[in-house]
Amino acid sequence: MADADNKQAAADPKQAARLAKQITAFASSHGGSAEGQLAHIGRGTTRIALVGANGEWGNLVARSHATAQQAVELAGITLREDFDGDMAAKVRTGPYEWSRMAGLQLGGPANPADN
């Protein structure tokens, strides 16, 4: 029900325009283009996951699915239905991400929350 409510919430044109500007800047600085995927993350918000042409990635958060949808349309990026294997294969991770994902198994930094 919450996901349905999130998708039915009206778009916020001002937030959509700000997000579109950020998406466009991300695409420009990461190879000239980007792909995105929208996912409900709770409390009426939607994550816009971005993967640039150079493999860099990032996330933005919109207050509603409609706002996120409007933002990616304004930015003119390719929107994928799922963050599938093809999209994930384009993501480039560095040493920091690998050490955080593997944690202590690969000698990465300990989770500060555990201390």
Side-chain angles (χ1 to χ4, degrees), residues 4-68:
D5 292 342
N6 180 40
K7 288 185 178 183
Q8 293 175 0
D12 176 346
K14 287 183 181 180
Q15 186 190 34
R18 283 191 306 273
L19 289 169
K21 187 175 179 179
Q22 290 175 300
I23 293 166
T24 301
F26 175 87
S28 294
S29 64
H30 294 292
S33 66
E35 296 182 45
Q37 189 267 335
L38 306 181
H40 172 73
I41 56 174
R43 296 191 180 193
T45 57
T46 295
R47 177 188 71 173
I48 305 168
L50 299 168
V51 179
N54 67 355
E56 293 291 324
W57 56 277
N59 291 297
L60 295 170
V61 177
R63 289 188 288 266
S64 72
H65 187 84
T67 299

